[in-house]
């Protein structure tokens, strides 16, 4: 048998039909659904008199525009958000899919809930009408975002029409230095490849620094594969993966666990498998990073200075000019001198327990800067409960952070958590696009530890100085 | 290879040949948040997004138009083609982005590269995304700068773009996607016709991986 990559293996195990030109019907093992990209898809089914083919493989949870204040169980004020959440309530019931409503403690960001409940398993195909579906790749599952037409397609047929992508290997060798996290890895990779560098590829992250990461860290890395343009990110499953999965509500049990484990252990890229592109980064070369512009590729070590448009080439010169103008920054300004108004800790990139621990570690016994607005939005109700049990919630609250209910919140600001014009935020989310966190809001992407550090000092800060 | 006809409320419009004004948007990394800011994603319909296409670039906060923005200029208000910088459509998977373009009247976007999900979403909505080498995009960008007098003709069947001065550029497109676009076909009907393959795959997978 010819050597295969992990991607090849998962792909081959899911092709239900292949046309001569390679266009394939890929069978989908898990379909995650949220309120923003699904209403038109369910409506399409209804119009055509179709049903959901595999409701037992379909999991729905509202997250994108749910408020994150405790009074939300009494109903959502914003009429349009309410309509979307109510539409999901109704559709989940009518079509009989698994559902975690706002009132359920297991509710949270879809990409956090899936793994937490054991829905996401190695070797699966996982899709969701959301680009950060790439997160689930951390389990060695082929996971990608789809549009609403495709959501409807998967609901109706449990398959997706796909052509195979190319294989890219991103190897992070050696050890990370203190203060450097999974977020810094994933941002540094995008800094290296650009936001279009992964277009047409599925990336497999490997190397010692990746192996050393917890599942939470691996999810952070894969989460942002899409920001590098890749269709999906993958990490081969290993003991860390199996330990995380075991005992979760929807993980296999007993004899099925053993059978699953046997197969999962075959899920790795063979030694001499073919790669279309290989990138190698030394773990020890990665520094804590921040973004200065309005694209995730606008990333620099915290010790650097704001670049000038002339430092770039081609269309990027104008884009950099526009970014600097939008961000209100001057070339040559040290990044650590950029003052911050707001800190947001949360999102499917960094809303897991380990992220809250990392931030709390920095905040312990400290206060946020006077006048600073700071909030923590745990990725799920269960993460929130665990953080309360571990005493992290108290550390945040004592430091001056708002302690919110689970949801996407200010990651995309579809709910009331938004930046105002010109407000500058150190955010643990994944996108610094213009207006992403609020009209004319300014976003600097950072790790949870870096966000906590900025909350204390009031400016972007090298977290290593606080460790 | 065959395709079943569409049975959505509105069958997808066929794309064969298009002659229209091209608007230049040389900016790189135009993301889905720029195309349709998320405050407009709260609808549960597929239509009506056109008026908010490029909203933050197109309007002031008070709702008045920003005259400098390309689609507000008289010669581009009816543009049907966009010529854009690298990596158009990056960001979210939201299909609202192609819905907004389509609702505005954009039927074709030309760039050196597109984000994957956006690229796919275009085809599902009757929009043709065309990838060309930098020199060709530069040339078309020049043509587009000349406004309404400089119409482009996109011929999908022959995979050509004809500029205002008669020059022709050819482009590549996946044969299956081209076929579906030209015939206005709906993927779901097409896949449902292969239900037997899905059934047998499902049966086999249930044996091999019962825990799924
Ligand atoms: S947290 Fe942000 S990136 Fe993640 S699913 Fe929600 S909106 Fe998308």
């Amino acid at each position: 048998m010819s050597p295969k990559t992990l991607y090849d293996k998962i792909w081959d195990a899911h092709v239900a039909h292949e046309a001569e030109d390679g266009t394939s019907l890929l069978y989908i093992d898990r379909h995650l659904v949220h309120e923003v990209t699904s209403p038109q898809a369910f409506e399409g089914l209804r119009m055509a008199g179709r049903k959901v083919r595999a409701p037992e493989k379909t999991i729905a949870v509202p997250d994108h525009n749910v408020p994150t204040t405790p009074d939300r169980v009494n109903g959502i004020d914003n009429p349009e958000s309410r309509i979307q959440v109510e539409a999901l309530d109704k559709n989940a019931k009518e079509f009989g899919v698994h559902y975690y409503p706002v009132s359920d403690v297991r509710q949270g960001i879809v990409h956090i809930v899936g793994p937490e409940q054991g829905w996401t398993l190695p070797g699966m195909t996982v899709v969701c009408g959301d680009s950060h579906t790439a997160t689930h790749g951390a389990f060695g599952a082929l996971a990608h975002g789809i549009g609403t037409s495709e959501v409807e397609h998967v609901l109706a047929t449990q398959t997706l029409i796909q052509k195979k992508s190319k294989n890219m290997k991103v190897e992070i060798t050696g050890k990370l230095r203190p203060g450097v996290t999974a977020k810094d890895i994933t941002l540094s990779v995008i800094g290296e490849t650009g936001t279009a560098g992964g277009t047409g590829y599925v990336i497999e992250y490997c190397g010692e620094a990746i192996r050393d990461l917890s599942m939470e860290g691996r999810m952070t890395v894969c989460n942002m594969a899409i920001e590098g343009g890749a269709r999906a990110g993958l990490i081969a499953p290993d003991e860390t993966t199996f330990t995380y999965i075991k005992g979760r509500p929807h993980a296999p049990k007993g004899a099925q666990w053993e059978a699953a484990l046997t197969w999962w252990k075959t899920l790795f890229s063979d030694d001499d498998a073919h790669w279309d592109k290989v990138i190698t980064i030394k773990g020890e070369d990665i520094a804590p990073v921040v973004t200065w512009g309005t694209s995730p590729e606008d990333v620099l070590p915290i010790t650097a200075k704001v670049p000038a448009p002339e430092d770039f080439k081609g269309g990027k010169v104008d884009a950099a000019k526009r970014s600097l103008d939008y961000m209100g920054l001057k070339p040559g300004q040290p990044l650590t001198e950029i003052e911050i108004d707001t800190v947001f800790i949360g999102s499917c990139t960094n809303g897991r327990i380990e992220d809250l621990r990392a931030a709390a570690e920095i905040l312990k016994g400290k206060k946020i800067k006077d006048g600073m607005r700071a909030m923590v939005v745990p990725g799920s109700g269960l993460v929130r409960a665990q953080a309360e049990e571990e005493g992290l919630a108290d550390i945040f609250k004592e430091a001056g952070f708002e302690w919110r209910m689970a949801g996407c919140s200010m990651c995309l600001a579809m709910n009331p958590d938004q930046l105002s014009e010109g407000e500058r935020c150190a955010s643990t989310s994944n996108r610094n696009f213009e207006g992403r966190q609020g009209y004319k809001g300014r976003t600097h992407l950072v790790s949870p530890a870096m966000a906590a550090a900025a909350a204390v000092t009031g400016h972007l800060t090298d977290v290593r100085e606080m460790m | 290879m065959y395709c079943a006809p569409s049975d959505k409320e509105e069958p997808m419009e066929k794309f064969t040949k298009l002659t229209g004004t091209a608007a230049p948007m040389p900016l790189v990394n135009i993301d889905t948040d720029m195309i349709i800011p998320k405050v407009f994603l709260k609808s549960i319909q597929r239509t009506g997004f056109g008026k908010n296409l490029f909203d933050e670039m197109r309007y002031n906060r008070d709702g008045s138009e920003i005259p400098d923005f390309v689609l507000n200029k008289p010669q581009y208000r009816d543009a049907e083609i966009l010529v854009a910088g690298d990596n158009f459509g990056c960001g979210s998977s939201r299909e609202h982005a192609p819905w907004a373009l389509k609702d505005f009247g954009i039927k074709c976007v030309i760039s050196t590269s597109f984000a994957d999900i956006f690229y796919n979403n275009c085809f599902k909505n009757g929009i043709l995304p065309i990838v060309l080498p930098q020199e060709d995009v530069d040339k078309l960008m020049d043509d587009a700068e000349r406004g309404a007098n400089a119409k482009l003709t996109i011929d999908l069947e022959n995979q050509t773009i004809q500029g205002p001065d008669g020059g022709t550029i050819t482009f590549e497109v996946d044969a299956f996607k081209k076929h579906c676009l030209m015939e206005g076909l709906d993927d779901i009907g097409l896949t449902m016709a292969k239900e037997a393959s899905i059934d047998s795959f499902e049966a086999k997978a249930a044996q091999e991986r019962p825990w799924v």
Side-chain angles (χ1 to χ4, degrees):
Chain A
M1 239 179 4
S2 61
K4 288 180 177 184
T5 63
L6 171 57
Y7 171 52
D8 298 337
K9 290 179 183 177
I10 304 174
W11 174 274
D12 290 350
H14 289 86
V15 177
H17 182 275
E18 185 173 347
E20 276 162 37
D21 69 345
T23 304
S24 300
L25 274 186
L26 202 64
Y27 190 83
I28 301 304
D29 294 324
R30 290 289 179 264
H31 185 192
L32 309 173
V33 173
H34 66 82
E35 79 278 22
V36 178
T37 55
S38 69
Q40 294 89 348
F42 281 114
E43 189 57 24
L45 288 188
R46 217 174 269 124
M47 305 279 300
R50 289 168 175 151
K51 48 187 188 38
V52 175
R53 183 182 166 102
E56 73 285 1
K57 294 174 182 168
T58 311
I59 298 101
V61 58
D63 58 0
H64 278 63
N65 58 40
V66 298
T68 54
T69 44
D71 59 359
R72 67 180 185 181
V73 285
N74 307 326
I76 299 173
D77 282 344
N78 179 298
E80 291 149 315
S81 296
R82 191 174 58 235
I83 288 170
Q84 279 192 338
V85 173
E86 284 171 359
L88 189 63
D89 288 343
K90 173 167 166 269
N91 289 328
K93 207 157 159 205
E94 180 179 334
F95 290 93
V97 308
H98 296 279
Y99 189 48
Y100 302 104
V102 176
S103 55
D104 193 311
V105 68
R106 296 166 298 177
Q107 178 271 345
I109 304 168
V110 62
H111 308 308
I112 292 190
V113 173
E116 202 168 70
Q117 292 300 319
W119 289 115
T120 307
L121 300 172
M124 280 185 164
T125 45
V126 181
V127 297
C128 174
D130 183 279
S131 50
H132 293 97
T133 311
T135 313
H136 308 264
F139 290 79
L142 178 59
H144 46 78
I146 56 179
T148 298
S149 297
E150 290 174 315
V151 170
E152 187 179 339
H153 190 278
V154 177
L155 288 171
T157 70
Q158 205 58 27
T159 64
L160 200 59
I161 302 174
Q162 286 278 292
K163 265 200 172 165
K164 207 171 166 195
S165 305
K166 291 178 283 183
N167 276 292
M168 186 193 305
K169 171 158 115 173
V170 173
E171 187 175 15
I172 315 290
T173 60
K175 300 273 179 208
L176 298 179
R177 293 189 187 276
V180 179
T181 68
K183 184 67 164 287
D184 302 299
I185 296 182
T186 203
L187 279 170
S188 298
V189 171
I190 298 162
E192 184 93 12
T193 61
T195 46
T199 305
Y201 291 93
V202 165
I203 294 178
E204 182 177 336
Y205 300 93
C206 59
E208 188 184 348
I210 298 290
R211 286 279 138 241
D212 284 350
L213 292 175
S214 64
M215 283 319 293
E216 285 84 354
R218 293 179 190 187
M219 285 189 255
T220 303
V221 170
C222 289
N223 174 274
M224 292 194 71
I226 183 73
E227 253 56 65
R231 178 156 311 163
L234 283 171
I235 295 176
D238 59 10
E239 284 307 322
T240 305
T241 324
F242 309 143
T243 310
Y244 177 97
I245 296 170
K246 196 160 191 190
R248 298 208 171 246
H250 296 278
K253 314 234 155 34
Q256 292 218 342
W257 170 263
E258 294 307 323
L261 203 59
T262 308
W263 187 57
W264 294 345
K265 287 185 174 166
T266 67
L267 298 174
F268 53 83
S269 291
D270 297 328
D271 280 343
D272 28 15
H274 171 77
W275 299 97
D276 300 290
K277 193 169 172 181
V278 176
I279 287 172
T280 307
I281 296 177
K282 284 198 194 125
E284 66 259 29
D285 287 351
I286 301 175
V289 292
V290 298
T291 60
W292 53 269
T294 54
S295 163
E297 72 189 15
D298 300 339
V299 63
L300 283 171
I302 180 67
T303 47
K305 293 187 165 79
V306 175
E310 305 80 65
D311 299 345
F312 300 94
K313 284 202 293 270
K316 189 72 191 170
V317 177
D318 277 342
K321 237 182 247 161
R322 188 183 163 92
S323 281
L324 291 177
D325 185 47
Y326 181 90
M327 294 296 290
L329 297 175
K330 292 213 174 50
Q333 199 177 348
L335 291 170
T336 47
E337 283 176 16
I338 298 174
E339 291 191 8
I340 296 295
D341 307 305
T342 302
V343 168
F344 170 68
I345 297 178
S347 87
C348 59
T349 315
N350 284 129
R352 284 170 287 268
I353 191 70
E354 185 183 275
D355 303 312
L356 304 194
R357 286 186 196 132
E361 184 62 33
I362 300 294
L363 290 170
K364 213 184 286 169
K366 298 196 183 75
K367 291 261 182 265
I368 59 172
K369 176 116 196 266
D370 268 356
M372 171 81 55
R373 165 157 87 131
M375 70 169 97
V376 186
V377 181
S380 73
L382 291 177
V383 169
R384 187 173 194 272
Q386 189 177 350
E388 287 178 345
E389 206 179 291
E390 291 183 16
L392 307 179
D394 293 332
I395 297 177
F396 284 116
K397 286 190 260 186
E398 278 157 26
F401 271 79
E402 295 170 42
W403 181 245
R404 298 295 194 96
M405 305 295 284
C408 294
S409 179
M410 204 189 267
C411 172
L412 91 165
M414 267 185 86
N415 75 351
D417 308 338
Q418 306 194 359
L419 296 181
S420 51
E421 224 170 303
E423 191 174 345
R424 191 182 293 282
C425 179
S427 177
T428 67
S429 56
N430 45 48
R431 287 196 174 136
N432 51 351
F433 297 158
E434 289 181 19
R436 171 77 177 183
Q437 297 193 293
Y439 181 76
K440 297 256 159 110
R442 293 164 170 165
T443 302
H444 296 276
L445 301 177
V446 289
S447 73
M450 290 278 282
V456 172
T457 62
H459 54 84
L460 293 176
T461 299
D462 190 338
V463 65
R464 291 170 296 192
E465 289 163 13
M466 291 178 69
M467 290 168 59
Chain B
M1 180 171 59
Y2 78 99
C3 295
S6 167
D7 55 0
K8 287 229 183 86
E9 332 109 76
E10 274 175 72
M12 203 166 78
E13 236 172 274
K14 296 182 186 182
F15 189 117
T16 46
K17 202 168 185 179
L18 165 71
T19 298
T21 304
M25 291 193 75
L27 199 64
V28 301
N29 296 333
I30 293 181
D31 58 64
T32 48
D33 286 62
M34 288 184 188
I35 299 172
I36 180 88
K38 76 259 150 192
V39 285
F40 304 109
L41 304 190
K42 293 189 174 173
S43 164
I44 56 172
Q45 316 288 324
R46 286 176 204 249
T47 50
F49 296 103
K51 58 181 183 298
N52 303 113
L53 175 71
F54 297 117
D55 196 89
E56 290 178 5
M57 300 160 102
R58 201 163 138 206
Y59 303 107
N60 291 307
R61 234 8 254 293
D62 63 10
S64 60
E65 289 186 358
I66 299 172
D68 274 356
F69 182 66
V70 60
L71 297 179
N72 287 335
K73 294 183 185 166
Q75 65 271 38
Y76 295 114
R77 297 186 88 93
D78 298 321
E80 291 176 279
I81 302 164
L82 281 185
V83 185
D86 301 344
N87 198 26
F88 189 86
C90 58
S92 147
S93 64
R94 61 184 69 147
E95 205 154 315
H96 309 69
W99 291 339
L101 287 164
K102 188 187 175 187
D103 202 54
F104 179 88
I106 302 289
K107 300 193 178 78
C108 172
V109 187
I110 301 170
S111 175
T112 51
S113 63
F114 292 88
D116 258 354
I117 305 177
F118 175 83
Y119 184 79
N120 264 320
N121 282 342
C122 281
F123 284 98
K124 313 245 181 247
N125 290 284
I127 299 172
L128 173 64
I130 300 179
V131 181
L132 290 175
Q134 189 72 54
E135 327 65 279
D136 290 341
V137 173
D138 290 347
K139 164 141 200 334
L140 294 173
M141 195 71 78
D142 267 0
D143 288 340
E145 301 282 359
R146 287 189 269 157
N149 302 330
K151 292 199 190 295
L152 301 181
T153 297
I154 319 270
D155 179 343
L156 178 54
E157 164 118 63
N158 295 307
Q159 298 179 205
T160 57
I161 304 172
Q162 203 156 32
D165 39 22
T168 299
I169 291 171
T170 56
F171 61 88
E172 295 295 317
V173 59
D174 178 83
F176 173 71
K177 290 193 164 93
K178 171 178 170 181
H179 174 68
C180 290
L181 206 51
M182 290 192 62
E183 301 297 327
L185 299 171
D186 161 36
D187 285 348
I188 298 182
L190 188 82
T191 298
M192 290 230 158
K194 302 201 184 82
E195 202 158 11
S197 312
I198 305 174
D199 288 343
S200 61
F201 176 89
E202 220 165 40
K204 191 171 86 131
Q207 291 284 318
E208 290 171 0
R209 298 189 294 276
W211 60 86
V212 175

